[in-house]
Amino acid sequence: MTSETRDLEEAALDLGASRLRVFFRITPPFLAPALAVGTAIDGIASMESYTPTMFVKGAARWRQRSAR
């Protein structure tokens, strides 16, 4: 977080906002882009793990059906 965020927090506190209100009104908008990128990267990583698993699972299921 930047010094700009800290300045906004201090200004809000000087104007009478509670610490809880300052946190929920100022911090999340600054963190939103980072959370969005982190979520996208995690989603992509989980998709990469899902595909090989489904290939292996699908092959095993096909072998069971052909053996009948």
Side-chain angles (χ1 to χ4, degrees):
M1 306 244 310
T2 63
S3 63
E4 183 178 296
T5 308
R6 190 69 181 141
D7 292 342
L8 287 174
E9 289 175 353
E10 288 178 12
L13 290 170
D14 287 344
L15 292 172
S18 68
R19 288 195 173 275
L20 191 61
R21 185 174 181 102
V22 168
F23 176 78
F24 283 110
R25 290 288 187 140
I26 294 176
T27 305
F30 278 95
L31 293 178
L35 291 174
V37 169
T39 301
I41 290 171
D42 186 46
I44 291 167
S46 67
M47 290 281 205
E48 288 177 359
S49 298
Y50 180 76
T51 304
T53 303
M54 291 313 295
F55 280 132
V56 171
K57 180 180 176 187
R61 184 179 293 170
W62 181 80
R63 285 186 197 136
Q64 289 174 353
R65 289 184 183 167
S66 64
R68 289 182 188 171

